[in-house]
Amino acid sequence: SGLKLAIPLPVLGGVHKIEDEITPLFGQVSWALGVWQTDDIRLSIVDSADLIMPERGMKLARDGFSYAIQLERTPWALACQEICDTITLQRSSIKWRGQKGKRQWLAGTVISEMCALLDVPGLLAMLEQQRFLQTQS
């Protein structure tokens, strides 16, 4: 939905082409699209546009997506519309986020690519916290 994200390869659990239906789970937060399952894997698919930039009003559930990017080897995956190139970054090419703020998922900005660099551990903590809060209500 127009948001370009970068994920460090060491925390990329896998890229999955989504051709089958996702099973929606009722009573979930707006960014939880549901569960995608094959014989080998079961992933909770997250609407990355809705989770990361909810103020933009973009929703991959509405706009469509083709891929799921698995975060580490966890059951969490981000829905996305397309996969771009793999590039090598130098630490100096990233404008690192200074202090932890409300965007727990943001590690920094890759200026040359005009994209956000994901803080995968921070994003995973955010997902787990939201799931915990959802089960408590």
Side-chain angles (χ1 to χ4, degrees), residues 54-72:
E55 64 276 6
R56 286 189 175 182
M58 309 270 190
K59 292 191 178 287
L60 292 175
R62 177 190 65 226
D63 300 338
F65 58 94
S66 300
Y67 299 94
I69 308 299
Q70 186 176 0
L71 303 173
E72 297 182 344

Side-chain angles (χ1 to χ4, degrees), residues 106-118:
L106 180 64
T109 305
V110 182
I111 303 300
S112 62
E113 300 295 319
M114 293 302 296
C115 68
L117 179 63
L118 290 178

Side-chain angles (χ1 to χ4, degrees), residues 11-122:
V11 291
L12 175 66
V15 176
H16 305 278
K17 178 85 170 140
I18 303 294
E19 296 174 332
D20 304 325
E21 288 290 316
I22 292 179
T23 305
L25 299 174
F26 298 101
Q28 295 292 307
V29 291
S30 65
W31 47 259
L33 293 174
V35 174
W36 178 74
Q37 191 167 316
T38 68
D39 290 338
D40 303 328
I41 195 163
R42 178 184 165 112
L43 297 174
S44 295
I45 308 296
V46 173
D47 188 326
S48 53
D50 190 22
L51 175 71
I52 291 174
M53 301 294 268
E55 64 276 6
R56 286 189 175 182
M58 309 270 190
K59 292 191 178 287
L60 292 175
R62 177 190 65 226
D63 300 338
F65 58 94
S66 300
Y67 299 94
I69 308 299
Q70 186 176 0
L71 303 173
E72 297 182 344
R73 292 291 177 194
T74 69
W76 292 105
L78 298 177
C80 70
Q81 294 173 317
E82 62 183 284
I83 306 295
C84 298
D85 296 327
T86 300
I87 59 171
T88 301
L89 297 175
Q90 303 301 319
R91 291 187 70 77
S92 60
S93 67
I94 302 167
K95 181 180 179 190
W96 297 97
R97 180 176 67 172
Q99 57 187 7
K100 299 278 185 193
K102 69 176 185 171
R103 294 193 170 154
Q104 192 173 350
W105 54 267
L106 180 64
T109 305
V110 182
I111 303 300
S112 62
E113 300 295 319
M114 293 302 296
C115 68
L117 179 63
L118 290 178
D119 176 343
V120 173

Side-chain angles (χ1 to χ4, degrees), residues 76 125-137:
W76 292 105
M126 188 172 102
L127 291 169
E128 289 295 335
Q129 178 185 27
Q130 290 295 327
R131 182 170 66 172
F132 177 76
L133 292 174
Q134 185 71 21
T135 60
Q136 297 300 306
S137 26

